Amino acid sequence: GPAAAEKLGLGRTALPEEIAAWDGDVSPDGAGLPAGSGDAIDGEGIFSEKCASCHGDFAEGIDNWPKLAGGADTLDHDDPLKTVGSYWPYLSTAFDYIKRSMPYGNAGTLNDDEVYAIVAYILYSNDLIEDDFVLSKETFFDVEMPNADGFFVDDRAETEYPAWSGEACMENCKDAPVKVTMRALVLDVTPETEETSAVQEP
Amino acid sequence: MTNKPSRREFLASGLAAGAAISAAGSAQADIPDPLITEVQPWAREFGDGVDATPYGMPIQFESDVIRRNVEWLTADTVSSINFTPIHALDGTITPQGCAFERHHSGAIELRKEDYRLMINGLVDNPLVFSYADLERFPRENHVYFCECAANTGMEWAGAQLNGAQFTHGMIHNMEYTGVPLRTLLEEAGLDTAGDLKDKWVFVEGADASSNGRSIPMEKALDDCLIAFKANGEALRKEHGYPVRLVVPGWEGNMWVKWIRRIEVMDGPVESREETSKYTDTLANGTSRKWTWAMDAKSVVTSPSPQAPITHGKGPLVITGLAWSGRGAIKRVDVSKDGGMTWETARLAKPGEKMALTRFYLDTDWDGSEMMLQSRAIDDTGYIQPTKTQLREVRGLNSIYHNNCIQTWLVRSNGEAENVEVS
């Protein structure tokens, strides 16, 4: 049970309005989802106005900005494309993250209906729902996330630690003479000194 | 300063000067040294008064010991990373001014007067603390490393960036002053939470990204700190001023900066930063989640690509850093031949739990090419693996948690390069 520590009586009780203002997290079981709804048709317009300049008209991503759609069945490829559709295990995370932290640079400005609609549009862009599917607290779990079973809890203690413990080899540790197999200078992508040295100028 | 030489020019001049010094050091001087025989200005005139620098910066000659970023790594600079100049530092404490930064929506400015910390959820009494409240709780001091989960992440597919700063510099090591998270949770009361074994805390920052993460209650009650001082002074803005979370041994992403809320919960939130990010995809397409601990790791900081040997043959200090998120460093071995043979290095001080440890190998360099490696061993008996060993288990796409043995190819002219070896 919890340790019965002596309290110092510091701080004050948080008011319900204060907790409501800051506690916006949504859990995988849907706890924290607000009332409201939106579909991909609504979402397309909002996305076009508030999201597409970075994430593309079809959530496909522009330049280096995150791709939110695509990449189905690529996770075991050489260069997997990890998007909301191909990778994210829970839809709750999309609602939670967009509501709190997007749009980038103007976070926390979307109302709950707008967030539902944007999430619906991202799902539609990933071919996971029809465009008239109305996303709400009630329909949230009608959506199947393709990679929901793709994660498992850290297993290094079983798969790595025993194999990489014990006696460390000190002599004749390799079968053949050691050779260089790859060189960073071939890529030549490291910044040169003069490009960033102005940082310290008084 | 203008007309700065390029790095290659700098290296070339350094090597030339080094050769001259080396020659002078190994033979009798022919002519008297004017730095000795002539009175220098600093020996005749005044230096600066004590009122010149209320808060000092490093001397201008150290202007290359700075954080650097790599533009192509991220889409913009406010959700990005920069790198600690570990190639130029010694000892273990990272100067705050050049300690790396990683933000997801920039380094925010938050006054102590505007700071609030909320504890809510499954507590007996949800609380709001001011900054001043936090300073009235009993404090502790601890030195810990903070290593980004992505440190060395660009090196999974091969040798990519040429310098220890870039390959291993998403790390800093500071002495923190703060209040145990446990103390604050107990102030709010955990009777409501009941059996704590299956409980979690969700922690988030005051910035737009929030950086919310879930932490199991066992860790929250063990050694997490709500820290407000680092290396003796207030946290730097970019490191979470005025208050950050310290999560000893665990990936840097969980060290939530500008921390504003702690919620006791029945389960993990599975937030963006523990689903989309900070999950490690294996070759078969499945992914590990909750890979919290940073495993034992080390790197030779000098010689290294940004710290070439400029003094020629003879006495050479090989030095570097070792650390483990699962305990204290017990031993570091160094190889000069790419891992065929190993010598045990000297630890500057006995390894401390979940803190950087400095190692030295004082050697005599005969001028021949070296393939320098270091190999950390922690007090669990874990031996830092090679990149080949890691790839055999994980493949090439896990992004995070690359704690492989690093190789520097040191040529006979003293220059060093990031390489992989067979």
Side-chain angles (χ1 to χ4, degrees), chain B residues 304-420:
Chain B
S304 67
Q306 297 158 288
I309 303 171
T310 57
H311 54 57
K313 299 174 190 176
L316 168 69
V317 174
I318 298 171
T319 186
L321 293 166
W323 61 97
S324 171
R326 296 202 294 129
I329 291 296
K330 200 176 65 180
R331 191 176 109 197
V332 179
D333 300 327
V334 170
S335 174
K336 298 170 187 166
D337 57 10
M340 184 68 89
T341 56
W342 295 85
E343 300 169 68
T344 296
R346 171 170 64 86
L347 303 186
K349 287 191 290 188
E352 287 179 56
K353 273 187 174 310
M354 296 164 292
L356 293 189
T357 299
R358 172 64 57 178
F359 67 85
Y360 297 104
L361 186 71
D362 307 297
T363 192
D364 191 67
W365 185 45
D366 64 6
S368 57
E369 193 169 277
M370 296 185 284
M371 288 181 272
L372 272 186
Q373 298 183 334
S374 61
R375 178 176 71 187
I377 302 175
D378 71 20
D379 60 7
T380 72
Y382 176 92
I383 305 166
Q384 184 184 359
T386 64
K387 203 187 280 187
T388 304
Q389 286 176 305
L390 285 169
R391 284 171 177 161
E392 279 169 3
V393 177
R394 306 186 196 170
L396 294 174
N397 291 321
S398 56
I399 302 176
Y400 307 107
H401 292 281
N402 185 348
N403 66 320
C404 72
I405 289 172
Q406 171 67 46
T407 309
W408 307 127
L409 176 65
V410 182
R411 295 204 189 72
S412 51
N413 69 0
E415 283 192 62
E417 186 188 344
N418 176 11
V419 298
E420 285 187 10

Side-chain angles (χ1 to χ4, degrees), chain A residues 1-15 18-19 21-28 64-66 75-80 82 87-90 92-93 96-97 100-102 104-105 107 147 149-156 159-161 163-202, chain B residues 1 4 6-8 58 66 68-70 72 74-76 78-79 104 116 118 120 125-129 133 136-138 158-162 166 182 186-187 189-191 202 204 208-210 260-261 263 265 268-272 275-276 279 281-293 295 326 331 333 337-342 344 371 375 381-383 385 389-390 393-394 397 401 411 417-422:
Chain A
E6 197 179 325
K7 292 182 184 178
L8 294 181
L10 293 169
R12 60 155 177 91
T13 300
L15 300 176
E18 294 171 331
I19 294 171
W22 275 9
D23 182 353
D25 55 76
V26 182
S27 292
N64 252 348
W65 297 102
L75 296 179
D76 59 353
H77 293 196
D78 282 347
D79 199 8
K82 295 154 96 169
Y87 191 62
W88 291 34
Y90 305 109
S92 55
T93 310
D96 175 282
Y97 182 69
R100 190 194 341 259
S101 298
M102 289 287 140
Y104 193 54
N147 198 40
D149 298 325
F151 295 81
F152 60 96
V153 175
D154 185 4
D155 66 346
R156 286 176 290 178
T159 56
E160 298 182 357
Y161 297 161
W164 301 338
S165 301
E167 280 298 304
C169 177
M170 298 302 283
E171 282 182 356
N172 296 315
C173 299
K174 297 197 172 180
D175 298 331
V178 182
K179 288 201 175 79
V180 171
T181 56
M182 194 174 279
R183 303 178 47 202
L185 279 186
V186 173
L187 275 175
D188 197 22
V189 292
T190 308
E192 295 285 323
T193 299
E194 71 276 12
E195 288 170 7
T196 46
S197 59
V199 171
Q200 187 103 341
E201 302 255 330
Chain B
M1 282 192 286
K4 283 190 71 83
S6 76
R7 190 180 63 88
R8 288 197 179 86
I66 53 174
R68 296 187 191 284
N69 71 317
V70 177
W72 55 264
T74 51
D76 76 348
V78 299
S79 179
H104 293 78
R116 299 289 184 272
M118 181 184 290
N120 74 312
N125 184 23
L127 291 175
V128 172
F129 298 110
D133 291 334
R136 297 173 67 188
F137 284 98
Q160 184 152 236
L161 286 161
N162 208 34
F166 301 107
R182 179 187 195 108
E186 286 171 345
E187 188 72 18
L190 291 168
D191 287 339
F202 181 65
E204 61 179 350
S209 83
S210 103
R260 82 171 190 186
R261 196 172 68 90
E263 182 179 359
M265 300 184 74
V269 168
E270 302 272 11
S271 71
R272 187 250 197 183
T275 54
S276 171
T279 49
T281 301
L282 306 184
N284 68 5
T286 64
S287 302
R288 288 173 174 159
K289 66 176 181 180
W290 306 343
T291 47
W292 299 310
D295 289 327
R326 296 202 294 129
R331 191 176 109 197
D333 300 327
D337 57 10
M340 184 68 89
T341 56
W342 295 85
T344 296
M371 288 181 272
R375 178 176 71 187
Y382 176 92
I383 305 166
Q389 286 176 305
L390 285 169
V393 177
R394 306 186 196 170
N397 291 321
H401 292 281
R411 295 204 189 72
E417 186 188 344
N418 176 11
V419 298
E420 285 187 10
V421 296
S422 58

Side-chain angles (χ1 to χ4, degrees), chain B residues 7-207:
Chain B
R7 190 180 63 88
R8 288 197 179 86
E9 284 165 348
F10 170 78
L11 286 183
S13 65
L15 291 170
I21 291 164
S22 175
S26 59
Q28 195 73 22
D30 296 330
I31 52 169
D33 185 349
L35 283 168
I36 298 170
T37 58
E38 294 173 12
V39 178
Q40 301 298 312
W42 57 81
R44 182 171 52 225
E45 300 158 7
F46 292 135
D48 293 335
V50 295
D51 57 348
T53 316
Y55 198 105
M57 291 285 284
I59 196 166
Q60 57 177 316
F61 313 118
E62 297 296 314
S63 63
D64 61 324
V65 187
I66 53 174
R67 297 188 276 234
R68 296 187 191 284
N69 71 317
V70 177
E71 239 172 71
W72 55 264
L73 279 178
T74 51
D76 76 348
T77 56
V78 299
S79 179
S80 194
I81 188 83
N82 63 26
F83 300 87
T84 304
I86 57 169
H87 64 287
L89 303 177
D90 212 316
T92 57
I93 295 295
T94 312
Q96 291 198 81
C98 65
F100 88 103
E101 304 166 66
R102 201 295 185 235
H103 319 301
H104 293 78
S105 50
I108 60 166
E109 194 163 278
L110 181 55
R111 300 190 315 158
K112 285 176 181 169
E113 292 82 354
D114 297 335
Y115 179 79
R116 299 289 184 272
L117 177 64
M118 181 184 290
I119 298 186
N120 74 312
L122 301 172
V123 292
D124 304 339
N125 184 23
L127 291 175
V128 172
F129 298 110
S130 66
Y131 179 83
D133 291 334
L134 296 181
E135 283 200 339
R136 297 173 67 188
F137 284 98
R139 294 173 214 168
E140 293 184 6
N141 291 300
H142 298 280
V143 177
Y144 296 121
F145 74 80
C146 173
E147 183 185 20
C148 179
N151 200 20
T152 322
M154 294 86 70
E155 303 290 310
W156 271 111
Q160 184 152 236
L161 286 161
N162 208 34
Q165 178 170 22
F166 301 107
T167 57
H168 290 75
M170 296 181 193
I171 193 166
H172 55 59
N173 192 67
M174 301 188 191
E175 184 197 45
Y176 292 98
T177 299
V179 178
L181 175 55
R182 179 187 195 108
T183 304
L184 298 185
L185 289 170
E186 286 171 345
E187 188 72 18
L190 291 168
D191 287 339
T192 300
D195 187 354
L196 296 177
K197 273 196 298 192
D198 59 350
K199 293 301 182 291
W200 295 70
V201 296
F202 181 65
V203 286
E204 61 179 350
D207 62 317

Side-chain angles (χ1 to χ4, degrees), chain B residues 196-245:
Chain B
L196 296 177
K197 273 196 298 192
D198 59 350
K199 293 301 182 291
W200 295 70
V201 296
F202 181 65
V203 286
E204 61 179 350
D207 62 317
S209 83
S210 103
N211 199 50
R213 289 284 317 241
S214 306
I215 298 175
M217 184 60 83
E218 187 184 4
K219 180 71 172 177
L221 296 180
D222 180 16
D223 56 5
C224 292
L225 271 188
I226 297 289
F228 39 80
K229 295 279 169 76
N231 294 349
E233 61 182 355
L235 297 174
R236 293 292 170 97
K237 172 176 107 172
E238 62 270 31
H239 297 139
Y241 181 93
V243 182
R244 86 172 305 165
L245 185 65

